[in-house]
Amino acid sequence: MTVTSNRAYNFNAGPSALPLEVLQKAQAELVDFKETGMSVMELSHRSATFEAVHNEAIARLRKLYDIPENYEVLFLQGGASLQFTMIPMNFLAQDQKASYIQTGAWSEKAFKEAKFFGTPVEAASTKANNYKNIPTVEEIQVEQNAAYVHLTSNNTIFGTQWKTFPTTGDVPLIADMSSDILSKKVDISNFAMIYAGAQKNLGPSGVTVVIIRKDFLEKANPNIPTMLKYDTHVANNSLYNTPPTFGIYMLGEVLKWVEEQGGVDTIEKRNEEKAKLIYDAIDQSNGFYYGHATEDSRSLMNITFRVADEALEKKFLAEAKEAGFVGLNGHRSVGGCRASAYNSVPVETCQALADFMVKFQQDNQ
Ligand code: PMP
């Protein structure tokens, strides 16, 4: 049995669409993985078969994302939200400051956790502008001797994305890339650490990817609980305790799919093309639709927009749902509409939404 029909136009913000080919492959090998007579879920995480899955996923990510040798790649649990805590727990001493660039709700959550350990300081914030934009380089003020600078590369809720990252000199730069990891080429060497929950661009929920520079790891506080220490997971190749084995297997398959598509360059071009289809529908609507983000800060991953007439907006969302579009309601804190067009969302799905938007406008103007 294969699942080919009835696939939704899935614009969920996360967990979100996965490539159909990956789902079908997982389905085909679900009950007998590599002639073991077991599902990958039933294998011991200490078995050679699972270790190969695990190590291949790490190697694939290293190659695809061009991760230099002096970085560790970890698969952790607890989501990006636990990283909000682990980062200051490991790297921010009580008498130290860390600079946080505030570009949305997730940045705020990261900031809040840092207060339990040391002193987070706002390096810039676009909150006064309802997080419609990313701050300019001139607006960013990094604390002298800050333990690190933290930023959110893509703001899932507000639909903004950094186009170029700030250079922070000797101060280590940490990025939450939960909603745009592997969506475009990034110079990893600009960062001391990158982290992301897998459930948007990399696979199902349950795995958190951490990419961390070895010399930065040396600065970590050794006197913290075992499971919350990066060193524990580095020393054990992320197999200190039972990992989310099925999630790691799926992540590996998604990475294989990215390779088959032609790698990150191809994915990046496709993401630009996909987002353009929807932004064009907004920009060419003469104000019938309008975007939340300022143009220079627009996200290629989360396209946030409103229908100018509020009653029509309700109608738009209801009719879109009826037409098979899923996940278009904006986050409850922003309202309006949001189309999340992560790596695995096909061009055709974005084209269908753009066509629907144009048609809806024609029918309701
Ligand atoms: N950071 C960003 C940018 C996110 O979009 C999310 C989840 N939507 C999180 C952090 C929290 O991730 P998790 O649910 O994996 O803890």
Side-chain angles (χ1 to χ4, degrees), residues 179-230:
S179 49
D180 69 350
I181 192 164
L182 213 69
S183 67
K184 59 176 184 178
K185 271 212 132 119
V186 165
D187 183 356
I188 306 287
S189 66
N190 277 339
F191 298 89
M193 176 175 165
I194 290 168
Y195 65 98
Q199 64 270 23
K200 302 171 199 299
N201 271 336
L202 298 177
S205 59
V207 188
T208 312
V209 171
V210 170
I211 302 166
I212 188 164
R213 208 171 57 214
K214 289 177 183 171
D215 67 347
F216 184 53
L217 271 168
E218 283 163 19
K219 296 187 181 170
N221 180 359
N223 298 313
I224 52 177
T226 313
M227 272 297 284
L228 300 172
K229 211 188 279 185
Y230 292 106

Side-chain angles (χ1 to χ4, degrees), residues 21-317:
E21 298 93 313
V22 170
L23 294 171
Q24 287 176 327
K25 176 144 188 261
Q27 183 186 41
E29 48 194 31
L30 189 70
V31 297
D32 185 9
F33 181 68
K34 292 195 187 290
E35 296 176 358
T36 56
M38 291 177 272
S39 160
V40 74
M41 287 181 273
E42 299 170 292
L43 298 176
S44 163
H45 62 294
R46 305 285 174 211
S47 65
T49 315
F50 180 74
E51 268 198 70
V53 170
H54 185 89
N55 290 334
E56 272 172 33
I58 294 172
R60 280 217 156 79
L61 186 60
R62 280 191 173 283
K63 188 150 172 265
L64 274 171
Y65 217 20
D66 224 348
I67 301 173
E69 278 298 306
N70 59 328
Y71 286 74
E72 301 284 355
V73 174
L74 304 175
F75 295 154
L76 306 184
Q77 297 184 69
S81 299
L82 187 58
Q83 294 309 304
F84 297 164
T85 311
M86 276 177 74
I87 291 164
M89 186 182 241
N90 280 263
F91 298 113
L92 183 59
Q94 220 174 6
D95 60 355
Q96 273 185 315
K97 291 179 178 171
S99 291
Y100 278 72
I101 306 177
Q102 301 301 81
T103 53
W106 298 110
S107 309
E108 286 180 12
K109 287 195 168 143
F111 185 94
K112 181 170 158 243
E113 293 306 296
K115 287 189 195 164
F116 287 107
F117 304 95
T119 309
V121 179
E122 238 177 49
S125 171
T126 54
K127 188 175 181 141
N129 197 20
N130 198 15
Y131 292 129
K132 283 186 163 89
N133 63 307
I134 298 293
T136 60
V137 173
E138 297 77 49
E139 285 168 330
I140 300 168
Q141 298 210 325
V142 172
E143 283 291 311
Q144 260 193 343
N145 303 321
Y148 56 83
V149 182
H150 179 278
L151 62 79
T152 315
S153 62
N154 183 79
N155 298 282
T156 324
I157 294 173
F158 295 92
T160 62
Q161 186 175 26
W162 290 78
K163 304 296 166 193
T164 45
F165 292 107
T167 41
T168 54
D170 290 338
V171 185
L173 179 60
I174 301 180
D176 173 1
M177 292 199 185
S178 288
S179 49
D180 69 350
I181 192 164
L182 213 69
S183 67
K184 59 176 184 178
K185 271 212 132 119
V186 165
D187 183 356
I188 306 287
S189 66
N190 277 339
F191 298 89
M193 176 175 165
I194 290 168
Y195 65 98
Q199 64 270 23
K200 302 171 199 299
N201 271 336
L202 298 177
S205 59
V207 188
T208 312
V209 171
V210 170
I211 302 166
I212 188 164
R213 208 171 57 214
K214 289 177 183 171
D215 67 347
F216 184 53
L217 271 168
E218 283 163 19
K219 296 187 181 170
N221 180 359
N223 298 313
I224 52 177
T226 313
M227 272 297 284
L228 300 172
K229 211 188 279 185
Y230 292 106
D231 275 343
T232 302
H233 303 289
V234 169
N236 293 281
N237 189 29
S238 304
L239 292 164
Y240 172 75
N241 72 323
T242 318
T245 51
F246 190 72
I248 291 170
Y249 156 76
M250 287 294 286
L251 187 148
E253 290 301 323
V254 170
L255 295 175
K256 213 180 280 181
W257 175 84
V258 172
E259 256 173 34
E260 286 160 9
Q261 303 305 298
V264 178
D265 282 339
T266 312
I267 293 284
E268 180 171 359
K269 283 198 198 83
R270 199 184 289 168
N271 285 336
E272 283 166 2
E273 183 193 338
K274 281 155 46 184
K276 186 173 185 306
L277 288 168
I278 301 167
Y279 282 124
D280 279 354
I282 296 169
D283 293 341
Q284 291 162 13
S285 74
N286 286 321
F288 184 85
Y289 302 106
Y290 64 93
H292 175 78
T294 59
E295 275 189 41
D296 57 350
S297 298
R298 280 176 165 179
S299 168
L300 298 186
M301 298 279 99
N302 309 98
I303 298 147
T304 45
F305 62 98
R306 307 288 315 232
V307 180
D309 180 312
E310 233 172 274
L312 276 183
E313 187 169 82
K314 281 203 183 82
K315 189 169 182 237
F316 173 82
L317 286 167

